[in-house]
Amino acid sequence: MYPALYRHRRKLVRFGLVLRLLTAAHMVHAQTVPASEPPSGARLFTQQCGTCHSVKPGEVRAGPSLAGIIGKTAGKQAGFAYSPALKSSSMTWNAANIDRWLTDSSATVAGSFMNYRQVDPAKRKAIVTFLSTGK
């Protein structure tokens, strides 16, 4: 009677050992999965800005082209009807100003036609980097 019980117990112990090894292997795999990629500026631009803006020089949509925007004065690009508020702002586009604009365009230049808010700093940074470098 005892030998049969002993064999049954050995099978349970082996099953438990195999189960622990599989769980440990899964835990190691779960820990080595790389962190998610940072947001792609090009993809975010296309998704959030690309309907109204282009990065092709001279291509005007509902908004002006943003090709080479860094260093340009806001509201002065030929071929687009800017709000009086943006025309008179004398703001020069740089990374900090674009980040402020993307955070809350209406607060950055009160009276501007564009109304956009991006609360995620990582997404804003990706879009600013894309507009600055094309990457």
Side-chain angles (χ1 to χ4, degrees):
M1 181 168 184
Y2 289 112
L5 183 60
Y6 181 71
R7 279 193 307 266
H8 181 65
R9 186 168 183 234
R10 276 194 320 192
K11 286 181 183 177
L12 284 175
V13 169
R14 267 191 254 146
F15 177 74
L17 180 62
V18 169
L19 188 60
R20 276 184 250 148
L21 286 172
L22 289 173
T23 302
H26 174 71
M27 294 294 283
V28 167
H29 175 70
Q31 292 174 355
T32 60
V33 173
S36 64
E37 294 284 324
S40 162
R43 185 174 57 243
L44 286 169
F45 180 86
T46 300
Q47 292 170 345
Q48 298 184 14
C49 314
T51 300
C52 297
H53 296 281
S54 171
V55 288
K56 293 179 184 172
E59 185 176 309
V60 176
R61 297 181 182 174
S65 169
L66 301 181
I69 190 81
I70 300 297
K72 291 184 178 177
T73 304
K76 305 291 188 233
Q77 186 173 323
F80 187 76
Y82 292 94
S83 66
L86 195 58
K87 281 183 188 178
S88 64
S89 72
S90 71
M91 178 171 62
T92 299
W93 292 119
N94 58 36
N97 285 337
I98 293 173
D99 183 68
R100 279 188 2 188
W101 180 264
L102 295 176
T103 300
D104 186 351
S105 59
S106 296
T108 303
V109 178
S112 63
F113 294 152
M114 184 174 159
N115 185 15
Y116 180 83
R117 288 183 185 90
Q118 176 51 259
V119 297
D120 186 337
K123 289 181 179 179
R124 288 195 315 268
K125 181 179 178 182
I127 294 170
V128 169
T129 300
F130 173 71
L131 289 173
S132 301
T133 65
K135 298 177 185 176

